Amino acid sequence: MGRLTTHVLDTALGRPASGLALSLWRLDDSGDFRKLVDAVTNDDGRVDGPILGDADFRPGVYELRFEAGAYLRATVEDLPEPLFLDVIPLRFGISDPDAHYHVPLLLSPFGYSTYRGS
């Protein structure tokens, strides 16, 4: 079976983003997103174990929502309010139920990037 993982790196501080809350959502047949998982990154900026795997891992449209604002407020001084980035939603598709989907986030107070990793 496939699995979904992530890794969050704080590019402004040059280290893993530890303690960043995130959630995983799946688009259902009615067109609504349903929450599947809540998680928090560890000291290495990763979630302990796959975010999604085993029988729950199936093709579909998903969204990872990274709570960047709370993390940035806790780690960066003198940020302007309102923050430029707060919740970062990354919507992506899973087509292969046997593959590893790795969705990293590179984060700073004023920008982010992502890609499909390995």
Side-chain angles (χ1 to χ4, degrees):
M1 298 284 313
R3 67 188 192 279
L4 173 66
T5 59
T6 191
H7 189 196
V8 185
L9 298 171
D10 185 326
T11 58
L13 298 176
R15 64 182 186 210
S18 175
L20 191 144
L22 60 100
S23 56
L24 176 67
W25 301 69
R26 179 187 292 138
L27 186 65
D28 67 17
D29 293 337
S30 69
D32 295 323
F33 276 93
R34 303 286 180 213
K35 187 190 289 190
L36 302 176
V37 176
D38 283 311
V40 177
T41 57
N42 61 23
D43 288 344
D44 192 36
R46 300 174 188 273
V47 173
D48 294 328
I51 299 169
L52 190 65
D54 301 322
D56 293 326
F57 191 86
R58 63 179 194 252
V61 175
Y62 293 82
E63 193 169 276
L64 276 169
R65 297 179 187 173
F66 295 90
E67 300 291 331
Y71 167 81
L72 291 168
R73 283 184 183 97
T75 58
V76 180
E77 294 182 21
D78 298 322
L79 287 174
E81 289 289 344
L83 295 179
F84 181 68
L85 294 174
D86 191 5
V87 177
I88 299 173
L90 298 180
R91 190 171 297 177
F92 58 95
I94 290 177
S95 59
D96 183 352
D98 297 318
H100 176 196
Y101 285 76
H102 183 66
V103 182
L105 180 70
L106 306 176
L107 173 65
S108 77
F110 299 101
Y112 68 91
S113 65
T114 190
Y115 55 94
R116 180 172 175 193
S118 58

